[in-house]
Amino acid sequence: KLENATAKAELGRASWRLFHTMMARFPETPTADESLALKTYIQLFARLYPCGDCASHFQKLLKKYPPQTSGRNAAAGWACFVHNEVNKRLKKEQFDCNKIGDFYDCGCGEDGGEKKE
Ligand code: FAD
């Protein structure tokens, strides 16, 4: 099958969105188990990412820059950094990681309760 750059880019945008939103919702002070869960998720994400080329490049990046999962700020900053490394390779603009704060909103409000309006 032919490569479809539009589908590949769309998958990328959707994946980055989930990736960064997950970091934005990660606990500020996680338990050891939560940190391990995030680290494991990131490794499996890199291994199972559907674009094989992308996955192998990203796995190399993770070796060079191991996932930071000690807390929300570290995780969000690390994710922004590695996304910027991918941007560099694809000759895209660098994102200002100081602006990552409120950029990714899960739309889930405060959570905790059953109903959200
Ligand atoms: P994207 O890079 O998809 O970014 C989406 C939005 O996120 C941007 O518009 C911006 O608002 C925001 N953003 C940009 N940079 C950052 C940052 N550093 N931190 C936080 N937010 C940011 N494509 C390939 O062609 N080859 C590859 O090898 C490849 N590898 C990939 C590896 C992974 C793990 C992922 C998730 C995607 C990969 N992609 C790859 C897809 C590629 O990164 C882009 O998603 C795709 O090209 C669409 O680019 P875009 O310009 O719309 O912005």
Side-chain angles (χ1 to χ4, degrees):
K1 208 156 182 238
L2 282 178
E3 178 172 320
N4 177 342
T6 307
K8 191 176 174 186
E10 229 161 70
L11 173 69
R13 280 189 289 273
S15 303
W16 285 124
R17 167 113 197 191
L18 172 62
F19 201 69
H20 294 299
T21 307
M22 200 168 277
M23 305 308 166
R25 294 290 289 186
F26 189 64
E28 279 170 35
T29 49
T31 62
D33 184 56
E34 287 168 331
S35 285
L36 178 62
L38 183 61
K39 196 167 276 184
T40 306
Y41 177 89
I42 293 167
Q43 294 296 348
L44 290 173
F45 170 85
R47 188 166 147 196
L48 298 172
Y49 192 74
C51 151
D53 259 3
C54 309
S56 69
H57 280 293
F58 198 60
Q59 284 171 53
K60 278 187 202 134
L61 262 182
L62 294 197
K63 277 209 182 114
K64 200 162 167 197
Y65 306 109
Q68 303 296 304
T69 62
S70 61
R72 180 184 300 171
N73 286 338
W78 171 84
C80 189
F81 176 83
V82 290
H83 187 171
N84 270 337
E85 288 296 304
V86 174
N87 289 341
K88 251 187 232 166
R89 199 167 54 78
L90 302 178
K91 303 198 160 54
K92 289 176 190 282
E93 259 181 53
Q94 291 294 105
F95 185 92
D96 181 356
C97 293
N98 294 310
K99 299 200 173 118
I100 199 96
D102 297 320
F103 199 81
Y104 290 95
D105 181 1
C106 70
C108 32
E110 288 305 308
D111 262 352
E114 287 283 285
K115 271 196 213 125
K116 279 142 231 147
E117 337 245 331

